[in-house]
Amino acid sequence: MSSEYKVSSEASFVVRVADLHKRYGSEEVLKGVSFAVRQGEALAIIGPSGTGKSTLLRCINRLTEPDRGRIWLENTEITNAKTDINKIRQQIGFVFQDFNLFAHLTALDNVRLGLTKVKKLSLKEATERAMIELRRVGLAEQAQKYPAQLSGGQQQRVSIARALAMDPKLMLFDEPTSALDPELIGEVLHVMQDLADEGMTMIVVTHEMGFARSVCDEVIFMEKGVIVEQGPPEQIFTQPKQPRTQQFLSKISELYGRTSS
Amino acid sequence: MQRLEKLELIWQSLPLLGEGVLVTMTLTISLLGVGLLLGIPVALGQAYGPRPVRLLMSSYERFFRAMPILVLLIVCFYGLGFWGIYVPAFGTAVVVFGLHSSAYQSQIFRGAIQAIKEGQLLAARALGMSRLQAIRYIVLPQALRLSLPGWSNEYSGVLKDTSFVFAIGVTELTRQGWQIAMRTREIFLVFITVAVIYLILTYLGTWLLERIERRLSVPGLAGQRREEHGRVI
Amino acid sequence: MNLLGPFCQTLQDGSFVRLACEIAPRLLQGTATTFQLTVFAMVLGLGVGLLLALGRIYGNKPIYGLSTAYVQFVRGTPVLVQLFLIYYGLPAFEIRLDPFLAAIIGLGLNSAAYQAEYFRGAIQAIGRGQMLAARAVGMTNLQAIGYVILPQALRIVIPPWSNELIYTLKYSSVAYIITTPELMYTGQIIASSPRGPGAFRYFEVFLIVAVIYLVCVLVISKLLDLVEQRVKIPGLEMR
């Protein structure tokens, strides 16, 4: 239990997570996870499948309810029952592994819906803002297309635009490239890299070690519901302290050979 | 000569049959409306409600689906009289058929809701929508589209079922035919004509619904086309 | 005649339970007729429906055209109108049927059109491969249908077929409009006869009738579910 995060209310931390626990039935998926992310920082969370990375991410905007532990977005405690979670979620962008674009809406309407219905912007304002975001992800020309008419990579970029349009303080990416064909991964990572360069605070659960290493400022290696090791990418990827981290990384590089790309 | 007379008889009874068509269609459309209004909350209750609501809604659905519509109609018709409530037979028919249809429509709608991927709702919540907003802006528009093929089946089913109001004395298409047949004694001829009119109404309606379906269609979001004019079971 | 007679008399005169007790034997007779009607209609529908399905799949042009037209006509028109055509319309051609027979034929020919579609779906679900394989081992077309296609089709058609059975059971109540002495009509007779326990107590009599239908439908659905579980063959299902 790391109390440092609990007492600290440094304004520079965008999100703080303290002693997070989550259990599904008899299986404990998160066994006390604590960390914090500074303003403008990009944090990568890596680790084997089924170690609670996605659950952790979903707990941060309470798409999954944690059993125990506390989470703050700046100075608001997300885990407080009195907090209006819908207000919080407007400030946290979430990008899903399988995009989850609204199937009955065009790309433009996907980006616009949150603006008109949640933020109550006028249609004109919402359209302008949505087009800015679509342009940013390079899809202004596809604005009138439906999700089914877009490639996986394009869909994921629209879903990033949808999240960005809400003006989030924090972006969460849940394995954003795992459902993509290999040749489409690059375009999505490219958009994410631009975001990181612009100083967006983000947490990325990923299997793309190259991305974690070259784009992120901090890397967490998680296994079996706990943080095994945390540090800057250079340290984690070149001289990991924990044997488990070493094993995992060498296995990954055997499989994908992308660790150092 | 005789054949010509028969043709003329049919020709002359067309206006009366037309009046019957009007009543049949008014009944069909009203009952579908009542069924829709009741069916959607029943489906939503079953999909998203707490356990007691789910149980209540599914017993509602099971009751109306197990009860023969004609029996239900007759019981309600006499029941109203028994309790001294006066409702015109047409009104009784709209309500009884509407209740019955709502059970079937809720099933169509529930199937559509279940066909929507869970991620759609999650994504809506992640944007900061409330549960109600997510249902209204994401689930309903998608589920309604997915339901359309089921509805054209329901339309053709209830259109035919409306002929049962014959038993409580509403003068719709079948009863108009009956009256003409009894008067002229050309029973076979008259009912063949009536049957052909039903056939036209069935195909016209399903054609129209298909057009609406195409108009509202969105790439990658299509309901499964089931048996046309199939049993509504 | 009413074995329950002495027991019924212990119930309060004029009460609903007394009525139910007193008319139960006659209603049960009506229920038996309802079941006979349903079973005969289903059997007729099975035979005709199978022929229609084969006609629509393997038939030459005229046969295909005729069976398709039949199926479309029947499925696009109300069963009540079909009953009127048979019971009141056929006498014009010197064909007079009693209400029970007319109802069997009407409901049976109606069901045939739907059963034809279930069979067609089932046969087509089995696929051309099975037919080709049967022909490849030297069977004639008819042998292939008889030994390979139908045994499989009949099995996968069981779920829709049992739905159709429930449907016919419920819709057999329509036969009351042409005075077939089934359950509904029995209720009608009891309530409209000026003497007897049910005289003019339409609502209560039909309420009892409704309960009987409800129980029958629910029990039979349950039984059919059990049968379906029993005869299920892994890997042989529609879709």
Side-chain angles (χ1 to χ4, degrees), chain C residues 175-221:
Chain C
Y176 121 88
I177 299 181
I178 60 161
T179 68
T180 307
E182 43 67 79
L183 181 52
M184 272 296 270
Y185 190 66
T186 309
Q188 171 77 24
I189 293 291
I190 291 172
S192 60
S193 57
R195 260 174 260 265
F200 307 123
R201 296 169 72 176
Y202 285 95
F203 172 58
E204 291 150 286
V205 171
F206 280 119
L207 196 61
I208 298 164
V209 167
V211 171
I212 297 177
Y213 271 109
L214 196 64
V215 170
C216 289
V217 168
L218 290 176
V219 168
I220 302 219
S221 312

Side-chain angles (χ1 to χ4, degrees), chain B residues 62-71 74-76 78-80 82-83 100 104 156-157 159-161 163-164 166-167 174 178 182 187-189 191-192 194-196 198-199 202-203 224-233, chain C residues 72-81 84-86 88-90 92-93 107 110-111 114 117-118 120 160 163-164 166-171 173-177 184 188 202-204 206-207 209-211 213-214 217-218 239:
Chain B
R62 190 173 309 178
F63 170 79
F64 280 109
R65 278 153 42 93
M67 184 63 91
I69 176 66
L70 179 60
V71 181
I74 299 284
V75 169
C76 293
Y78 286 118
L80 288 170
F82 180 81
W83 300 109
H100 190 251
Y104 289 89
S156 96
L159 170 69
K160 289 177 281 176
D161 283 359
S163 62
F164 297 163
F166 179 91
T174 304
W178 174 265
M182 289 304 123
I187 300 174
F188 196 83
L189 190 63
F191 278 118
I192 280 289
V194 167
V196 170
Y198 272 110
L199 208 58
T202 301
Y203 282 97
Q224 280 204 344
R225 182 144 288 286
R226 291 193 290 185
E227 291 284 284
E228 273 174 81
H229 324 307
R231 291 280 200 234
V232 181
I233 296 170
Chain C
Q72 305 285 37
F73 177 82
V74 171
R75 298 207 308 170
T77 53
V79 64
L80 179 60
V81 173
F84 281 166
L85 277 172
I86 290 169
Y88 295 111
L90 285 185
F93 306 93
L107 289 169
N110 179 272
S111 182
Y114 294 89
E117 288 306 272
Y118 301 139
R120 194 168 68 104
N163 276 339
E164 178 68 14
I166 297 292
Y167 192 95
T168 305
L169 174 63
K170 288 195 291 178
Y171 277 68
S173 55
V174 181
Y176 121 88
I177 299 181
M184 272 296 270
Q188 171 77 24
Y202 285 95
F203 172 58
E204 291 150 286
F206 280 119
L207 196 61
V209 167
V211 171
Y213 271 109
L214 196 64
V217 168
L218 290 176
R239 272 175 215 176

Side-chain angles (χ1 to χ4, degrees), chain A residues 152-154 156-157 160 176-177 180 184-193:
Chain A
Q154 290 173 327
Q156 192 59 298
R157 279 147 67 199
I160 294 173
T177 56
L180 296 177
L184 302 177
I185 291 176
E187 57 188 78
V188 172
L189 291 182
H190 187 76
V191 168
M192 290 167 63
Q193 173 156 20

Side-chain angles (χ1 to χ4, degrees), chain C residues 15-239:
Chain C
S15 69
F16 182 68
V17 266
R18 170 92 177 244
L19 172 69
C21 183
E22 285 180 331
I23 66 175
R26 288 181 68 190
L27 288 183
L28 288 182
Q29 254 175 16
T31 310
T33 310
T34 285
F35 276 108
Q36 285 169 6
L37 186 57
T38 305
V39 170
F40 288 138
M42 281 304 285
V43 171
L44 177 62
L46 177 72
V48 178
L50 206 48
L51 289 177
L52 286 169
L54 293 174
R56 287 194 72 181
I57 296 171
Y58 304 108
N60 56 18
K61 255 213 165 117
I63 290 184
Y64 169 83
L66 275 176
S67 35
T68 303
Y70 177 88
V71 168
Q72 305 285 37
F73 177 82
V74 171
R75 298 207 308 170
T77 53
V79 64
L80 179 60
V81 173
Q82 292 160 14
L83 283 181
F84 281 166
L85 277 172
I86 290 169
Y87 185 64
Y88 295 111
L90 285 185
F93 306 93
E94 299 302 323
I95 303 169
R96 282 167 225 283
L97 304 166
D98 75 66
F100 183 64
L101 196 57
I104 289 175
I105 292 175
L107 289 169
L109 291 182
N110 179 272
S111 182
Y114 294 89
Q115 291 193 42
E117 288 306 272
Y118 301 139
F119 286 124
R120 194 168 68 104
I123 292 171
Q124 281 170 347
I126 289 162
R128 291 200 58 77
Q130 295 285 318
M131 186 70 173
L132 288 177
R135 298 300 302 277
V137 296
M139 287 190 196
T140 65
N141 234 329
L142 225 62
Q143 282 176 320
I145 292 172
Y147 296 127
V148 179
I149 304 291
L150 280 187
Q152 297 182 55
L154 287 178
R155 205 156 267 130
I156 59 178
V157 91
I158 288 173
W161 199 85
S162 51
N163 276 339
E164 178 68 14
L165 177 60
I166 297 292
Y167 192 95
T168 305
L169 174 63
K170 288 195 291 178
Y171 277 68
S172 68
S173 55
V174 181
Y176 121 88
I177 299 181
I178 60 161
T179 68
T180 307
E182 43 67 79
L183 181 52
M184 272 296 270
Y185 190 66
T186 309
Q188 171 77 24
I189 293 291
I190 291 172
S192 60
S193 57
R195 260 174 260 265
F200 307 123
R201 296 169 72 176
Y202 285 95
F203 172 58
E204 291 150 286
V205 171
F206 280 119
L207 196 61
I208 298 164
V209 167
V211 171
I212 297 177
Y213 271 109
L214 196 64
V215 170
C216 289
V217 168
L218 290 176
V219 168
I220 302 219
S221 312
K222 194 84 214 155
L223 284 177
L224 287 171
D225 275 354
L226 290 177
V227 172
E228 270 175 43
Q229 296 301 323
R230 265 291 171 75
V231 299
K232 210 186 223 165
I233 292 182
L236 196 63
E237 283 127 16
M238 262 217 242
R239 272 175 215 176

